[in-house]
């Protein structure tokens, strides 16, 4: 006879993105509470001083807002495209990528009033990035910011800045692209109703490019101390 208590699983709604099965809802709740407590302490997030700025040395990797509300993980491409609220995922929906690269967010998570950045930090604006590039030298900023391994065709940096920018790619609504070639990092700067600004690190360049793209695009996030 089948033991119906053997699999202690639950179905938990996550807003408009459908349903997700979790092994134990209590464990999930406790995880969110623990993360909420940890992200309230700025010392838990490593940073390095460059000029007068203190930058986080890793991509953001949180799954709740500053007030403790959870941010849904969304894997389905059509759900991702149609969202107007915050969401995150891993590159290729593979948690192993998250261990190295952190989480990918849509821009709605960045702009949420509940706060994506940990206590004492903010998501870097385009102006913040420009200041960083000027401090490092605009023509070589990418080289000093990129990790010293992992980039295609030996397009590595020297990581002089200690910011460890890895070639982590990004997400369009239906595909993940660019791993090993480049990485997109959101800024908090809005372009218009439909798009926002990101910075783009490439394997073939020692500088850094910037452009804007749809807010449903998934990119990484860097924060700096307020």
């Amino acid at each position: 006879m089948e033991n119906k208590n053997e699999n202690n699983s639950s179905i938990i709604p996550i807003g408009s993105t459908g349903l997700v099965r979790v092994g134990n809802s209590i464990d999930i709740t406790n995880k969110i509470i623990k993360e909420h407590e940890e992200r309230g302490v700025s010392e838990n997030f490593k940073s390095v001083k460059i000029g007068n700025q203190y930058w986080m040395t890793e991509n953001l990797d949180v799954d709740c807002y500053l007030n403790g509300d959870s941010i849904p993980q969304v894997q389905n491409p059509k759900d991702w495209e149609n969202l107007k609220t915050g969401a995150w995922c891993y590159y290729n929906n593979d948690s192993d990528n998250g261990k190295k690269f952190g989480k990918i967010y849509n821009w709605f998570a960045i702009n949420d009033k509940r706060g994506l950045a940990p206590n004492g930090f903010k998501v870097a604006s385009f102006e913040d990035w420009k200041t960083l590039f000027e401090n490092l030298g605009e023509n070589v900023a990418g080289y000093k910011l990129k990790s010293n391994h992992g980039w295609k065709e030996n397009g590595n940096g020297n990581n002089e800045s200690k910011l460890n920018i890895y070639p982590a790619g990004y997400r369009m609504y239906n595909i993940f692209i660019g791993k090993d070639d480049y990485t997109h990092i959101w800024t908090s700067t809005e372009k218009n109703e439909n798009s926002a600004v990101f910075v783009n690190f490439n394997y073939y360049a020692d500088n850094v490019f910037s452009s804007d793209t749809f807010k449903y695009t998934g990119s990484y996030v860097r924060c700096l101390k307020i």
Side-chain angles (χ1 to χ4, degrees):
M1 180 181 294
E2 180 183 1
N3 183 356
K4 293 184 179 181
N5 293 323
E6 192 172 296
N7 182 10
N8 181 21
S9 63
S10 305
I11 297 291
I12 297 180
I14 54 171
S16 63
T17 60
L19 300 174
V20 60
R21 183 178 294 276
V22 298
N24 189 313
S25 60
I26 295 176
D27 289 345
I28 296 295
T29 300
N30 288 339
K31 177 180 180 296
I32 291 173
I33 292 173
K34 182 175 184 292
E35 183 187 297
H36 180 220
E37 293 172 347
E38 289 177 345
R39 63 179 292 164
V41 182
S42 61
E43 286 75 14
N44 288 335
F45 299 88
K46 295 179 180 179
S47 63
V48 63
K49 184 179 182 182
I50 303 175
N52 292 321
Q53 298 174 315
Y54 286 85
W55 284 83
M56 199 177 287
T57 58
E58 296 178 340
N59 293 335
L60 196 62
D61 186 17
V62 299
D63 54 16
C64 71
Y65 293 108
L66 187 57
N67 72 344
D69 290 348
S70 64
I71 308 168
Q73 179 183 9
V74 178
Q75 298 182 348
N76 181 275
K78 293 304 294 183
D79 287 343
W80 183 277
E81 179 188 16
N82 292 325
L83 280 172
K84 299 296 182 183
T85 55
W88 66 268
C89 64
Y90 296 116
Y91 189 93
N92 274 342
N93 293 318
D94 184 347
S95 60
D96 284 342
N97 285 319
K99 294 174 184 177
K100 183 174 183 179
F101 303 139
K103 290 181 172 63
I104 287 173
Y105 299 90
N106 63 16
W107 196 80
F108 302 108
I110 292 170
N111 196 45
D112 196 287
K113 293 180 180 179
R114 289 169 288 183
L116 182 64
N119 188 44
F121 287 85
K122 66 174 182 175
V123 177
S125 68
F126 179 61
E127 290 301 319
D128 293 325
W129 282 101
K130 282 180 62 179
T131 298
L132 176 64
F133 301 153
E134 290 169 1
N135 283 331
L136 295 175
E138 293 187 3
N139 292 330
V140 293
Y143 182 71
K144 294 180 179 180
L145 289 162
K146 290 190 295 185
S147 60
N148 57 18
H149 64 281
W151 291 83
K152 178 181 176 181
E153 297 180 4
N154 200 32
N156 302 313
N158 67 359
N159 196 29
E160 177 184 311
S161 65
K162 309 301 182 187
L163 258 63
N164 302 301
I165 303 293
Y166 290 108
Y170 72 102
R171 177 183 188 166
M172 293 300 291
Y173 74 93
N174 60 342
I175 56 172
F176 295 87
I177 55 178
K179 185 172 175 287
D180 302 331
D181 294 6
Y182 44 84
T183 192
H184 286 187
I185 301 180
W186 277 125
T187 78
S188 63
T189 303
E190 185 177 30
K191 177 71 173 181
N192 54 45
E193 181 181 355
N194 297 313
S195 64
V197 179
F198 68 94
V199 291
N200 178 20
F201 294 81
N202 287 282
Y203 72 92
Y204 56 80
D206 288 339
N207 60 342
V208 186
F209 302 95
S210 64
S211 188
D212 60 275
T213 190
F214 294 113
K215 293 177 180 178
Y216 62 67
T217 303
S219 299
Y220 299 91
V221 172
R222 282 295 173 119
C223 300
L224 70 163
K225 286 187 176 181
I226 299 173

